[in-house]
Amino acid sequence: MDYFCSMVKIGNIELGEFPLLLAPMEDVSDPPFRQVCKENGADMMYTEFVSSEGLIRNAVKSVRKLDIFPYERPIGIQLFGSDVETMAECTKISTEVNPDLIDINYGCPVKKVACRGAGAALLQDIPLMARMTEAVVKATHLPVTVKTRLGWDDSTKNIEEVAERLQDVGIQALTIHGRTRAQLYKGEADWSLIAKVKNNPRIKIPIFGNGDIDSPEKALEYKNRFGVDGIMIGRAAIGYPWIFNEIKHYFQTGEYLPAPNMEQRVNAATQHLKFSVEWKGETLGILEMRRHYSNYFKGLPNFKEHRMKLVQSMNLEEILETLDFVKREYEGVTLETKAKVVEYGGVD
């Protein structure tokens, strides 16, 4: 069944008929990565998630994550924490940098977060989750949204109750990752419960689905099959920001866009690298860019030698020269069009 799509709005933020959102991913979705995704069709993006305790302590890493740029709008700052008052105070600080919305992370499954009572841990205490969410809503004039999972484990899939409770205290959109905390990123995402939330007559806010979308045809299938208001894409965009425009083109025409050629791949990686160095400084910018090269050039034959040069050099000019050599060496080589989900062991 094909669902009619009207304009999706979060508060006064207009996102189009079926927005594609870039998921917040720790150590991935920083401003340089967000820039290449925005240029390739992402409709809305989020910061890496910000520790409320770190922000209150004025920790450099947490404060830096509040950096947003005009090209990124609309953009949300994503927060996580375990203490209601700290989350409210962190919300006030975040509001001052003028994002378009505040998002709360109730989905992060990793131990260092969940075992501290934050992220997905709140799925085990819905009253606390509701109190925390209400405090965040009251602490800002901006729209507040939430990203979460189906539940803590298979025996506690409480997302339907969560959605109703959080809507009641004022959130204006909900993104649901179709796995439990216990699943981490394993197994297949279950979108049937996401559809149940969307089809609940009590639910009036936009519902976005997240999990396993790695191709245009899968995006269209899930759009029609589950009736969500939009899709959030995470791992499939790592090293492949073109997936957003590919999905949009496929929706409109039923055809694939031509695969990004080697010049486009190298140009995206180069832009990403230069902004990374500009924003983080040369040493950190080079080091943190290393995780992206294998994804930008995934599937290239005999690429190991070039990849080793890219990840071993600490000299920006040498890295740029290697990228330029790759562009010339693989000119005319075309890889498959659609993206593939890559391994990601970070935090969402």
Side-chain angles (χ1 to χ4, degrees), residues 83-101:
D83 179 77
V84 173
E85 291 183 4
T86 303
M87 281 289 285
E89 184 62 30
C90 182
T91 299
K92 294 175 183 177
I93 295 171
S94 300
T95 300
E96 291 177 0
V97 305
N98 195 31
D100 296 284
L101 61 81

Side-chain angles (χ1 to χ4, degrees), residues 240 257-265 298-301 330-338:
Y240 203 89
L257 278 175
N261 59 33
M262 199 49 52
E263 182 177 8
Q264 290 171 304
R265 288 174 179 270
K298 191 173 185 177
L300 278 184
Y330 290 92
E331 184 179 4
V333 174
T334 301
L335 301 176
E336 62 179 298
T337 304
K338 61 183 179 180

Side-chain angles (χ1 to χ4, degrees), residues 149-168:
R149 290 184 170 231
L150 300 179
W152 181 256
D153 56 27
D154 284 342
S155 63
T156 58
K157 292 183 178 179
N158 51 10
I159 187 59
E160 294 176 83
E161 180 185 357
V162 166
E164 290 186 2
R165 293 285 296 272
L166 297 189
Q167 178 181 259
D168 288 347

